[in-house]
Amino acid sequence: MTDPRHAILFEPVRIGPKTLPNRFYQVPHATGFGSAKPATQAAFREVKAEGGWGGVCVEYSPVSADADEEPHVAAYLRDERDEAALAMTADAIHRHGALAGVELYHGGNSSKNVSSRHARIAPSARTAEIRWGSQAREMTMDDIARVQADFVHSARLARDAGFDIVYVYGAHGYLLTQFLSPWHNVRTDGYGGTLANRARFALETLEQVRTAIGHDCAIATRFCLDGRRGIKGVRVEEMLQFVALADPLVDLVDVTVGSWPEDSGTSRYYPEGHQLSWTSQVRSATTKPIVGVGRYTNPDQMAALITSGQFDLIGAARPAIADPFLPRKVAEGRLGDIRECTGANVCILKEEDFRHIGCIQNPTAGEEYRRGWHPERIPATSDPDRSVLVIGAGPAGMECALTLGNRGFSAVHLVEAEDDIGGRMTWVRRLPTLGDWGRIVDWRRTQLDRLANVEVITGRRLTASEVLDYGADIVVVATGSRWCDDGTQPGTRRPILGAAGSLTPEKVMAGERPRGQRVAVYDVDGYFAGPGIAELLANEGYDVHLVTPDSVVSPMSDGTLEGPMLRQHLHDAGITMHAGVTLRECADGSVTGETTYGDPWRLAVDDLVLVTHQVPTDGLYRELMADESALRTAGVTSVFLIGDAQSPRWISEAVFDGHRLAREIDLTDPRFPAPTLRDLPT
Amino acid sequence: MTDPRHAILFEPVRIGPKTLPNRFYQVPHATGFGSAKPATQAAFREVKAEGGWGGVCVEYSPVSADADEEPHVAAYLRDERDEAALAMTADAIHRHGALAGVELYHGGNSSKNVSSRHARIAPSARTAEIRWGSQAREMTMDDIARVQADFVHSARLARDAGFDIVYVYGAHGYLLTQFLSPWHNVRTDGYGGTLANRARFALETLEQVRTAIGHDCAIATRFCLDGRRGIKGVRVEEMLQFVALADPLVDLVDVTVGSWPEDSGTSRYYPEGHQLSWTSQVRSATTKPIVGVGRYTNPDQMAALITSGQFDLIGAARPAIADPFLPRKVAEGRLGDIRECTGANVCILKEEDFRHIGCIQNPTAGEEYRRGWHPERIPATSDPDRSVLVIGAGPAGMECALTLGNRGFSAVHLVEAEDDIGGRMTWVRRLPTLGDWGRIVDWRRTQLDRLANVEVITGRRLTASEVLDYGADIVVVATGSRWCDDGTQPGTRRPILGAAGSLTPEKVMAGERPRGQRVAVYDVDGYFAGPGIAELLANEGYDVHLVTPDSVVSPMSDGTLEGPMLRQHLHDAGITMHAGVTLRECADGSVTGETTYGDPWRLAVDDLVLVTHQVPTDGLYRELMADESALRTAGVTSVFLIGDAQSPRWISEAVFDGHRLAREIDLTDPRFPAPTLRDLPT
């Protein structure tokens, strides 16, 4: 049952005409679903309401034709079809007693407008913040009135769709912030100049929306304060003045910091609650409930934030993706069951680049509708008498064994060759800045420990004949992959001459070290492993040169919002970065290759660490599959290959792969993902 | 009427069970419509059939779940809903007597699979060509049979949807090419090794598809030969052997060169028909009709290709986007009316990045359904007695005057301050490699000349009082923009200290030259202007340093497939590139600033050219709008601001803006684009 220390989190909170059932609040965040995948949106948000989040919001809803975000997917409220699409979500949230919120906004000079082909608008005709279309035009008085009317129109549709909380949203540098900010707003009329003037657009809009729907809905607003990277928004002193001015017009104050990369800072570069030094100051400016985020997963910390008066509601986006049932687990005192967010921002990469959210921790995120997966409930297997041997306890194997256990298989053995479970995570989590990724292992370890039908055996490397003798009905091979140590790379498909037997991430993390002081880390992978090893060696005093054929170091990190910080971090650690270089040879105390332009390139180094290409460790699987009759004789009905051992992919996909196989193992052909449901606009 | 020299282009051509009505053939190309925007797809392809293209194909249609391309938009044929969606297009094409084609393919290791979350497959377990998921798994015999069955399944759906031509498509390095290519295929079974073995997968697939639908549909195949950038495909000698092996199984041979950036090479770096040195060799290997592309717009050249026997059909993607009525114009002897493709690849940027195709030359491309725009027909104005004064003959003004003329306004005057029409295009087209962009002006000049109701007046710079006295009912201000010459830039919103009055692209193109030999071109714009000026000065012998705050030079060019070639080109021209540098000051023979990492940066130079920020030239418009009573007295009913003068954007958007205003000028509020139709999946 609920720990008394956490009882405060379950107090209801009144916001205007509505009452939140508790203090857990899922702030607006994008998913790729918007109003375009209505059933997917509804299913994704519903599990959060079911899991105990008292307020659940959908993502950004552009109010005007010149706030067009296509081809990104937004929660458009353009017409009755959109209203019907999003009503499915509001209904789903209400089924569990939670309040539903929507984020009405106009992007101003950050709007894409590539589909509408409108010119961008902004308070002043200044260069736009994003590239396509270099400049926004200054809004006329007609524009101001039009956009405000658009807010009111969308607010009515939002109310009619069943939303309880309607945001007039200014965070992330959107149009309302552009008016507030002297960086964007150099108007000389009544909407520019003094703070009162710069605040006028937002205050008028809030007032009009309030007049239109304020009796029916709670009016929320969200603004971002300048953070450590921000110079383009609004300073804390002025923001507090604005909040005070807005106080009579709002029912809920949602505060965040900086623009997106900072607001959603990853665990690598931002600690939990890093926003507090700014957001904690808001209390002085408002009498209304305050919500703020901080990637919080610890209920003690949450309760302290409420008790101290800094926040009234605990806002969350990523922790609610990683564990939709976090509040209910707190309520039930099941703290060890909370699947904690790693702060890896795979959710953001998937939402932004793939237009369909996913999660590195929670394999069901985004799969609620199309695969029918619930984060907490899983159907029992149709044939529980079978036993399963899962070989390899990396992300795929751990998740597979856990999910098989939850499905009620009589006996699941997870057998790991190393002395501890975790697979590649055992070394990944020890790379500088990557500690929080260890939560992938920690949560699964706890869960595996609780299942009586799952046995975890470490330090045992099975041969094929031992597998046959094991007595399992089903064998799952999850033996992972290793970094190749001859430099074989995508661009050339060839080894690097003279590099055979070089250091790799695994070797370094197993304790091997470069011969000599000056070392090249050659990163063709382009994500976290190369920079991680480089930083580790630099911290130990090596003179590290990070060489990559990519045009920038770690391009993958740009998708997780980490790129600029990661490169700054490496630079500050004294690492020399060489982009656009393909290595061909390693000999005589130097590495040689060529630049993007075909020019020869050489660097004198004492040693080389290769982060080029991963090789599946699938020998055991191949050996087993080569002798079908032996499998029959041994009574093994199926052998599956999952995770990196099948195809080296990102950690999120290994977790997914293990989960998927366990979910689908009773289907006719569980080797491949079952077909998914299509979700079409209403 | 048709010039006898071009009669050969209008001969019918038999392909298997079908007959193409002529030799104009729109090859498959992506649009962003696929089967997701069925009415948009149908309208986009229909105008091509109507315009005389005898064969019109839709884009790529992935056959298997592990060929998932989401979130990119493909012409999926998964089920009856997709079949119904694409049947709309086949029907639309048939209405004009053309044949409809569809491109069935499997991407193998280039498949995204981010939605399906399948592992990638390939002939061999080698590193994938694209990043997400580093490695494909080797296809089993089961996989081979499954994918071939998927081809057959999709082929049947394609036939049932009404397609006449079904591609078993291997170009662009897709799975069929991966089997053929020793770079991808290192199998040691019957599908790897000798050419006959590597060809087996494609030949079997062709045979199975032929057996299933060969009586009903023409079977086409498309393969790419290795080009000058390619080492990853199949060499010409082997490809010719493959074509000979496939000859009995196909009805149409479609040949292209290299992977996508080369196949769709822009006019900046690839001349028309650059593929011929390879593609012209195919004749020796096949008895079947051959189609090839080359960005051809000149019917003499097309006829020569047919007469010489190199091709039987003239393939086109981009020229058919720029002018859907090209064949009909040739048939009618209206050669001067052909709106020639510029080869700028704005179509590709819009399709890939924005998921909705558009064109720099043809403002109606992609707007056929959602805005109801036909490329050749335009409704007459409801009130033709009005006269219009268009001020400024850049892309927006030219297009606006032309479209107003076509709508039948009694008098349209296009008044230009400079001695010639073209606006910024007069200097852009004189930049190195940008000559073909001049077609934007050339076509409009010809068209304007033919309209009796449009008068073009050059060398006349109108003042506000002259505008009022002009006697026009409607005034359209299209006065463009200029590059600011103090270095004001997006990242700082500040001028560069000491830079006031610096050179800009316009100044250089007007004949001004740097003081001294060593010059920095500072490019914050990131597209063509900075590199163009740098190359021009380098060609004249200056020691040019191209400095940019972007992480690579000209990131916009990556979207048009030009980036790597552009940077190589600049490098080869001896230009030194400095990426990641923000300039702050220009003084004492050097420019100074800081790197991305905040480190100070300095370069000794004799002079500086600024390509930072464009300022709208909207003074005339503001002056006119400031005195409404003067407008009333003068009888001016409306004043509009379009193109760069409203908001500096890309050339394609200026053309669009001019066209749009002319189309919509009779609506209630023509200042903004009218709402567009939504197109939803069936």
Side-chain angles (χ1 to χ4, degrees):
Chain A
M1 282 297 81
T2 314
D3 188 315
R5 289 177 304 159
H6 305 148
I8 196 171
L9 297 172
F10 295 94
E11 293 172 349
V13 178
R14 184 151 188 95
I15 48 170
K18 301 282 179 177
T19 301
L20 288 158
N22 61 39
R23 298 186 187 271
F24 292 94
Y25 187 87
Q26 183 245 287
V27 295
H29 73 81
T31 54
F33 310 148
S35 40
K37 292 182 178 173
T40 309
Q41 173 79 268
F44 178 79
R45 305 293 180 184
E46 178 164 13
V47 296
K48 299 188 183 189
E50 185 190 357
W53 297 89
V56 179
C57 302
V58 299
E59 57 263 69
Y60 62 165
S61 182
V63 298
S64 304
D66 46 15
D68 164 42
E69 281 299 313
E70 288 183 17
H72 283 262
V73 181
Y76 287 100
L77 276 166
R78 290 164 292 205
D79 54 26
E80 292 68 26
R81 279 193 298 194
D82 289 336
E83 186 193 312
L86 291 178
M88 287 172 63
T89 293
D91 291 348
I93 293 167
H94 291 157
R95 276 198 284 279
H96 303 278
L99 299 186
V102 63
E103 168 194 343
L104 305 185
Y105 90 109
H106 192 300
N109 75 12
S110 76
S111 301
K112 297 193 179 58
N113 290 356
V114 298
S115 179
S116 71
R117 304 181 81 164
H118 279 251
R120 288 193 188 133
I121 59 170
S124 301
R126 311 199 74 181
T127 304
E129 294 298 305
I130 60 172
R131 191 70 69 125
W132 166 261
S134 63
Q135 177 147 340
R137 67 177 178 80
E138 180 187 296
M139 287 172 76
T140 62
M141 297 305 274
D142 279 1
D143 290 318
I144 288 175
R146 171 177 61 84
V147 172
Q148 290 176 334
D150 287 343
F151 266 100
V152 170
H153 175 75
S154 293
R156 290 206 173 98
L157 286 173
R159 175 196 58 194
D160 296 347
F163 286 96
D164 309 286
I165 305 164
V166 173
Y167 274 86
V168 175
Y169 196 94
H172 311 319
Y174 291 150
L175 183 60
L176 270 67
T177 300
Q178 289 161 30
F179 268 96
L180 269 185
S181 158
W183 166 267
H184 293 284
N185 183 351
V186 293
R187 296 178 77 99
T188 54
D189 64 5
Y191 292 90
T194 64
L195 175 72
N197 277 357
R198 283 181 276 122
R200 192 178 311 279
F201 180 77
L203 296 175
E204 284 178 356
T205 307
L206 278 166
E207 191 155 25
Q208 291 180 30
V209 169
R210 187 167 194 83
T211 303
I213 63 154
H215 292 289
D216 306 317
C217 299
I219 310 295
T221 192
R222 193 182 208 192
F223 275 87
C224 51
L225 297 120
D226 269 355
R228 56 173 149 139
R229 294 175 61 85
I231 52 159
K232 299 176 181 179
V234 184
R235 293 215 186 77
V236 173
E237 311 77 53
E238 285 209 325
M239 186 57 82
L240 296 180
Q241 291 175 51
F242 169 75
V243 170
L245 290 170
D247 191 58
L249 300 170
V250 301
D251 303 312
L252 176 63
V253 176
D254 189 342
V255 288
T256 178
V257 167
S259 57
W260 206 29
E262 185 159 11
D263 168 41
S264 299
T266 62
S267 59
R268 302 188 68 170
Y269 304 111
Y270 292 95
E272 286 179 20
H274 72 90
Q275 303 96 329
L276 263 187
S277 51
W278 287 265
T279 54
S280 63
Q281 301 178 51
V282 175
R283 173 59 74 210
S284 63
T286 180
T287 62
K288 301 297 169 62
I290 299 171
V291 59
V293 295
R295 204 165 56 76
Y296 299 115
T297 55
N298 181 331
D300 292 343
Q301 207 173 3
M302 296 176 186
L305 281 166
I306 304 297
T307 310
S308 70
Q310 294 174 94
F311 290 164
D312 300 285
L313 306 174
I314 302 301
R318 292 171 293 170
I321 300 166
D323 196 342
F325 274 60
L326 185 150
R328 191 180 282 199
K329 289 173 183 174
V330 176
E332 296 171 1
R334 297 163 46 210
L335 304 191
D337 288 343
I338 295 171
R339 191 167 43 219
E340 291 183 292
C341 173
T342 63
N345 279 10
V346 166
C347 48
I348 288 172
L349 179 135
K350 291 202 166 204
E351 177 274 310
E352 280 286 290
D353 292 355
F354 303 162
R355 313 281 150 85
H356 197 106
I357 205 166
C359 178
I360 196 171
Q361 266 281 50
N362 172 12
T364 69
E367 308 295 352
E368 299 84 358
Y369 173 75
R370 67 179 179 183
R371 298 188 209 266
W373 291 1
H374 189 277
E376 298 293 319
R377 284 192 303 274
I378 187 161
T381 174
S382 53
D383 182 2
D385 291 342
R386 291 169 295 171
S387 61
V388 190
L389 169 62
V390 180
I391 306 166
M398 286 189 295
E399 177 68 22
C400 189
L402 172 60
T403 310
L404 290 166
N406 283 328
R407 294 199 62 195
F409 279 85
S410 60
V412 178
H413 281 209
L414 175 60
V415 180
E416 166 59 44
E418 301 297 328
D419 290 339
D420 194 9
I421 64 169
R424 63 174 138 168
M425 296 315 297
T426 57
W427 61 264
V428 168
R429 69 185 303 175
R430 290 187 290 117
L431 290 171
T433 74
L434 285 169
D436 275 2
W437 291 24
R439 293 174 169 185
I440 293 165
V441 184
D442 298 340
W443 181 76
R444 285 169 180 80
R445 187 193 304 277
T446 308
Q447 300 301 305
L448 287 166
D449 282 352
R450 294 187 184 179
L451 287 170
N453 55 339
V454 178
E455 191 171 338
V456 178
I457 299 152
T458 55
R460 184 155 175 214
R461 188 178 301 275
L462 295 173
T463 64
S465 68
E466 287 169 335
V467 172
L468 292 172
D469 293 343
Y470 204 93
D473 299 305
I474 298 170
V475 174
V476 178
V477 180
T479 41
S481 62
R482 59 177 176 75
W483 289 98
C484 93
D485 67 358
D486 66 3
T488 298
Q489 50 184 321
T492 66
R493 294 263 162 103
R494 296 208 187 98
I496 293 170
L497 273 173
S502 284
L503 291 171
T504 63
E506 286 119 342
K507 292 184 189 179
V508 172
M509 297 311 289
E512 294 187 49
R513 284 294 175 274
R515 302 160 300 197
Q517 169 74 4
R518 191 173 158 94
V519 56
V521 176
Y522 182 50
D523 182 18
V524 188
D525 176 62
Y527 189 23
F528 64 84
I533 292 291
E535 186 175 350
L536 179 137
L537 293 175
N539 290 349
E540 291 181 3
Y542 290 91
D543 173 16
V544 179
H545 293 256
L546 185 53
V547 183
T548 177
D550 289 317
S551 56
V552 296
V553 164
S554 191
M556 293 294 101
S557 298
D558 288 329
T560 56
L561 311 181
E562 290 167 316
M565 282 163 284
L566 176 137
R567 292 183 283 270
Q568 180 81 50
H569 194 79
L570 298 178
H571 174 80
D572 294 347
I575 294 162
T576 310
M577 289 176 266
H578 305 269
V581 173
T582 297
L583 292 188
R584 301 277 188 182
E585 193 172 353
C586 167
D588 304 329
S590 69
V591 287
T592 53
E594 65 200 26
T595 70
T596 302
Y597 306 121
D599 295 333
W601 188 90
R602 170 183 300 268
L603 182 74
V605 290
D606 299 315
D607 209 346
L608 174 65
V609 183
L610 293 172
V611 191
T612 60
H613 171 75
Q614 290 171 83
V615 182
T617 312
D618 59 359
L620 178 63
Y621 174 79
R622 287 174 178 270
E623 207 178 326
L624 290 169
M625 295 303 281
D627 191 349
E628 281 185 38
S629 71
L631 288 168
R632 260 196 310 275
T633 309
V636 174
T637 56
S638 350
V639 182
F640 298 104
L641 183 67
I642 61 171
D644 275 19
Q646 185 193 68
S647 167
R649 294 194 279 171
W650 282 19
I651 295 162
S652 59
E653 302 316 284
V655 172
F656 169 85
D657 212 25
H659 189 87
R660 184 204 66 74
L661 178 66
R663 284 253 181 192
E664 298 183 342
I665 203 161
D666 295 339
L667 301 184
T668 313
D669 186 354
R671 290 177 302 168
F672 310 119
T676 56
L677 289 177
R678 290 175 68 180
D679 186 12
L680 298 175
T682 41
Chain B
M1 282 297 80
T2 313
D3 188 314
R5 289 177 304 159
H6 305 148
I8 196 171
L9 297 171
F10 295 94
E11 293 171 351
V13 177
R14 184 150 188 95
I15 49 170
K18 301 284 180 176
T19 301
L20 289 159
N22 61 39
R23 297 185 188 272
F24 292 93
Y25 186 87
Q26 184 245 287
V27 295
H29 73 81
T31 53
F33 310 148
S35 40
K37 292 181 179 174
T40 309
Q41 174 79 268
F44 177 78
R45 305 292 179 182
E46 179 165 12
V47 296
K48 300 188 182 189
E50 184 190 357
W53 297 89
V56 178
C57 301
V58 299
E59 57 263 69
Y60 63 165
S61 182
V63 298
S64 304
D66 47 14
D68 162 44
E69 282 298 314
E70 289 183 15
H72 282 262
V73 181
Y76 287 99
L77 275 166
R78 290 164 291 205
D79 54 25
E80 293 67 28
R81 278 194 298 194
D82 288 337
E83 186 192 312
L86 291 178
M88 287 172 62
T89 294
D91 290 349
I93 293 167
H94 291 158
R95 275 199 284 280
H96 303 280
L99 298 185
V102 63
E103 169 194 341
L104 304 185
Y105 91 108
H106 193 300
N109 76 11
S110 77
S111 301
K112 297 192 180 59
N113 291 355
V114 297
S115 180
S116 71
R117 303 182 80 164
H118 278 251
R120 287 192 189 135
I121 59 171
S124 301
R126 312 199 73 182
T127 305
E129 295 297 306
I130 59 172
R131 191 68 68 123
W132 167 261
S134 65
Q135 175 145 342
R137 68 176 177 80
E138 179 187 294
M139 287 171 76
T140 63
M141 298 305 274
D142 279 1
D143 289 318
I144 288 175
R146 171 177 61 86
V147 171
Q148 289 176 334
D150 287 343
F151 266 100
V152 170
H153 174 75
S154 293
R156 288 206 175 98
L157 285 173
R159 175 197 58 195
D160 296 348
F163 286 97
D164 309 287
I165 304 164
V166 173
Y167 273 85
V168 176
Y169 195 95
H172 311 320
Y174 291 149
L175 183 59
L176 271 67
T177 300
Q178 290 162 27
F179 268 96
L180 269 185
S181 158
W183 167 267
H184 293 285
N185 183 350
V186 292
R187 295 177 79 97
T188 54
D189 64 3
Y191 291 90
T194 63
L195 175 72
N197 278 357
R198 284 182 273 122
R200 192 176 312 279
F201 180 77
L203 297 175
E204 285 178 356
T205 307
L206 278 166
E207 191 155 22
Q208 291 180 30
V209 169
R210 187 168 195 84
T211 303
I213 62 154
H215 292 288
D216 306 317
C217 299
I219 311 295
T221 193
R222 194 183 209 191
F223 275 87
C224 52
L225 297 120
D226 269 355
R228 58 173 145 137
R229 293 174 63 86
I231 52 160
K232 300 175 181 178
V234 184
R235 294 217 185 75
V236 174
E237 312 76 53
E238 286 208 325
M239 186 56 83
L240 296 181
Q241 291 175 51
F242 169 75
V243 170
L245 289 169
D247 191 58
L249 301 170
V250 300
D251 302 313
L252 176 62
V253 177
D254 189 341
V255 288
T256 177
V257 167
S259 58
W260 206 29
E262 185 160 12
D263 168 43
S264 299
T266 61
S267 58
R268 300 188 69 170
Y269 304 112
Y270 292 95
E272 285 178 20
H274 72 90
Q275 303 96 329
L276 265 187
S277 51
W278 287 264
T279 54
S280 63
Q281 301 177 51
V282 176
R283 173 59 74 211
S284 63
T286 181
T287 61
K288 301 298 169 61
I290 299 171
V291 58
V293 295
R295 203 165 55 78
Y296 300 114
T297 54
N298 180 330
D300 293 343
Q301 208 174 359
M302 296 176 186
L305 280 166
I306 306 296
T307 310
S308 70
Q310 294 175 94
F311 289 164
D312 300 286
L313 306 173
I314 302 300
R318 292 172 292 169
I321 299 165
D323 196 342
F325 274 59
L326 184 151
R328 192 181 278 198
K329 289 172 181 174
V330 175
E332 295 172 358
R334 295 164 47 210
L335 304 191
D337 288 343
I338 295 171
R339 190 168 43 220
E340 292 183 292
C341 173
T342 64
N345 279 10
V346 165
C347 47
I348 288 172
L349 177 135
K350 291 202 165 203
E351 178 274 310
E352 281 286 289
D353 293 355
F354 303 163
R355 313 281 151 85
H356 197 107
I357 205 166
C359 178
I360 195 172
Q361 265 282 48
N362 172 12
T364 70
E367 308 296 350
E368 298 84 0
Y369 173 75
R370 68 178 180 184
R371 297 188 209 265
W373 292 0
H374 188 278
E376 297 293 318
R377 285 192 304 275
I378 187 162
T381 174
S382 54
D383 182 3
D385 290 341
R386 291 168 296 172
S387 61
V388 189
L389 169 62
V390 180
I391 306 165
M398 286 189 296
E399 179 66 24
C400 190
L402 172 59
T403 310
L404 290 166
N406 283 328
R407 295 198 63 194
F409 279 84
S410 60
V412 177
H413 280 209
L414 176 60
V415 179
E416 166 60 44
E418 301 297 326
D419 290 337
D420 194 8
I421 64 169
R424 64 175 138 168
M425 297 313 298
T426 57
W427 61 265
V428 168
R429 69 185 305 175
R430 290 187 291 115
L431 289 171
T433 75
L434 285 169
D436 275 2
W437 291 23
R439 292 173 170 185
I440 293 165
V441 184
D442 297 341
W443 181 77
R444 286 169 179 81
R445 186 194 304 278
T446 308
Q447 300 300 304
L448 287 165
D449 282 351
R450 292 185 185 178
L451 287 171
N453 55 339
V454 179
E455 191 171 338
V456 179
I457 298 152
T458 55
R460 186 157 173 213
R461 188 178 301 275
L462 295 173
T463 64
S465 69
E466 286 168 335
V467 172
L468 293 171
D469 293 343
Y470 204 93
D473 298 306
I474 299 171
V475 174
V476 178
V477 180
T479 41
S481 63
R482 61 178 175 75
W483 290 98
C484 91
D485 67 359
D486 65 4
T488 298
Q489 49 184 323
T492 65
R493 295 264 162 102
R494 297 209 186 96
I496 293 171
L497 273 173
S502 285
L503 290 172
T504 63
E506 287 119 339
K507 291 184 188 178
V508 171
M509 296 311 289
E512 293 187 49
R513 284 296 176 271
R515 301 161 299 197
Q517 169 73 4
R518 191 173 158 95
V519 57
V521 176
Y522 183 51
D523 182 19
V524 187
D525 176 62
Y527 189 23
F528 64 84
I533 293 291
E535 187 176 350
L536 179 137
L537 293 175
N539 290 348
E540 291 182 2
Y542 289 92
D543 174 16
V544 179
H545 293 256
L546 185 54
V547 183
T548 177
D550 289 317
S551 55
V552 295
V553 164
S554 190
M556 294 292 102
S557 297
D558 289 329
T560 55
L561 311 182
E562 288 167 317
M565 283 162 285
L566 176 137
R567 292 183 283 269
Q568 180 79 52
H569 194 79
L570 298 178
H571 174 81
D572 295 346
I575 294 162
T576 309
M577 289 176 267
H578 306 268
V581 173
T582 297
L583 292 187
R584 299 278 187 181
E585 191 170 356
C586 167
D588 305 329
S590 70
V591 287
T592 54
E594 65 202 25
T595 71
T596 302
Y597 306 121
D599 296 331
W601 188 90
R602 171 183 298 269
L603 183 74
V605 290
D606 300 315
D607 209 346
L608 174 65
V609 183
L610 293 172
V611 191
T612 60
H613 172 75
Q614 291 170 82
V615 182
T617 311
D618 57 0
L620 178 62
Y621 174 80
R622 286 175 179 269
E623 206 177 330
L624 289 170
M625 295 303 280
D627 191 348
E628 280 186 39
S629 72
L631 288 168
R632 259 198 310 276
T633 309
V636 175
T637 56
S638 352
V639 183
F640 298 104
L641 182 67
I642 62 170
D644 274 19
Q646 186 194 70
S647 167
R649 292 195 280 170
W650 283 18
I651 296 162
S652 58
E653 302 317 284
V655 171
F656 169 85
D657 211 25
H659 189 85
R660 184 204 66 74
L661 176 65
R663 284 254 182 191
E664 299 183 344
I665 203 162
D666 295 340
L667 301 184
T668 312
D669 187 355
R671 290 176 302 169
F672 309 119
T676 57
L677 289 176
R678 290 175 68 180
D679 187 9
L680 298 174
T682 42

